[in-house]
Structures are given as structure tokens and as C-alpha cells.
Amino acid sequence: MTIRHKLLTIATTAAFLVTGSLAANAEALKPYKDRLFRYKKVHETLYNGDFIVVEYSKQRDLRDRDEVDERRVYGNYVSYKPKRGRGSAELSANGRTVQYMGTGKWKGGAKAIVIYIHGQGGNRFQGMNDVSFGGNFNRIQNLMVRNGGAYLTVDIKNFDKRGTADVAALIEYQKQISPGAKVVVACGSMGGIICWNLVRNGNYSRLLSGIMLLGSPKDPNFLGSSALSRNVPIYMGQGTLDRVYNWEDQANFFKQIKSRAPNYPIKFTLFDTGTHGTPIRMTDWRLVLNWMLG
């Protein structure tokens, strides 16, 4: 069965459109290298634009983009302006020490805050790597620095309640020093467990303006929780060739949410022929964040 036929099954009650996007009503973040990072082709648009299928070309989006495949992107994708304000810090919370890094207005006065949570085997340095993942981490750093925001990465030692509590403590601290800022937490791979835990906890979810799941697992417990009524925006990015988390399982989970709460603010981007790390490389940060923040 082709991907299109599988999509037809998933979208039995969806509305097909010819075109569509994640466009926001108001742009919180100004353009930055949009020509390089925007989606080159959208194959399908479902659920009135909430579910899109984006073309991923390994030749164009990896080999032609990276000077060294999956190691170093070509220099025109990168600006090192965020390095000027980049630093490391520690936060004592829950009887533990939380190590994190930041750039932009991460020491206070931020208009918006994005926190990246790595997956299993990662660390806080992953999301601060300027040249890996096609330069996409450098782009989010620049978007926040150039728009008066803050971008942080944090070490996660436990992908459970302890890790979730540590991230929540960091969010609460950032809200104290940037009281007017909206906070979005982006989670890569297994880090998605932290994102789902934050959304399902009423005390934590009130601090959030959105979560981004980049090749992350679903959370069946979400469907039966009160979080479904709190409307924290959710973005899910998935590759069709992801061997860790099956895209059909994730897409059907999106459908379940839409079935139970048709107006829930959730969007899904499926990268056709993309693998496990493709959503981290290819997700258009500005497009998603302008939807969540705007």
C-alpha cells in the first residue's frame, strides 16, 4: 500500500485541500534564512492544513546541503551571532543539579523562550550544535536571538517524573526572570516523553505555550487526561522511514486526538522518505513557532 493510500485511510473524515500551511495569524518571529529552510514541496494537505506531507529529498536536503554528510552544513546556512551570548549554567532543583545552556536573553527579559530536550544518548550540547542537522539548531538560535527571545538546552538524565520535574523547574525559573515570555518546549526522539508529561500535568502545562515533538513517541495516556481540554498547542514531526517510531502509529494518534477534540490545536508534518532524525533537520522552526506564539 502506498503512503497516499495509507493517508486516505487515516484521513477518512479529513478535509483535503490543494494547498495549505502552518501559517500564523500574526508573526511573532521575523524571517531568517527562510529561502533556505522553508519546505520546498508539500505533497498533501489534510485536516484543513493541520496535517501536511512534505517532500524530503536525501540528495537535495542532505547531500547538497551538508559539506560533510550529517556532520557539517555548508556555511551559508549558518550565522554565529548567537555564540556571543551563549553560556552554561546550573540550577539546583528537586535535590538535583540541572545543567543547561542558553543564548539570547536567557538571563532575563526574553519575549519568548524555546527549550530543547534531547533524546536518549544525547546531551545539552546537541541542541547548541551549529553545524549538525543541516544547521537547523543554528537557525532556531538565530531566530530567538534576533527576535529578543531566549533559547536553552538542558541535560536530561531521567526520562521520567524526575526529568520532567527538572525541566519544569527550569521553566519556572525562566518565567521568573522573563515573566512576560511565552514558553515552547521542543523534544527530540525519546525526549518527547518529557514533553507529554509536561502537558498532562496541570501545574506544568499552565506554563506552556506549546510543545514540539520531533520524531518522538505518542502518549496514549494523553487521550484520557484532562490535558485534552487545556488546549496546549502540539506539533508532531515524523519521517515515513522512521525505524524507531512508526509514522502510521503517530498519524493515527493525531487522528484520535482530532476525533475526540476536533478543535484541539495540533499539527502534524510528515516528511516523505524522512528517517528518525529528519524532523530535527527539516522542521521549519519559524513556521511552527509563529503558529504557537502568534
Side-chain angles (χ1 to χ4, degrees), residues 278-290:
T278 299
I280 295 178
R281 166 181 282 265
M282 295 298 295
T283 289
D284 187 332
W285 287 99
R286 180 170 175 264
L287 199 62
V288 177
L289 291 173
N290 274 343

Side-chain angles (χ1 to χ4, degrees), residues 137-187:
F137 282 127
N138 182 263
R139 189 189 188 211
I140 180 56
Q141 291 178 64
N142 273 282
L143 282 169
M144 301 315 292
V145 167
R146 295 165 188 266
N147 287 279
Y151 173 72
L152 298 93
T153 63
V154 57
D155 273 354
I156 302 298
K157 295 182 174 64
N158 302 286
F159 294 92
D160 55 16
K161 291 182 179 180
R162 291 169 294 176
T164 305
D166 291 346
V167 173
L170 180 59
I171 296 173
E172 289 173 340
Y173 172 66
Q174 285 293 312
K175 290 285 282 186
Q176 289 174 13
I177 61 177
S178 297
K182 293 183 178 180
V183 177
V184 173
V185 180
C187 297

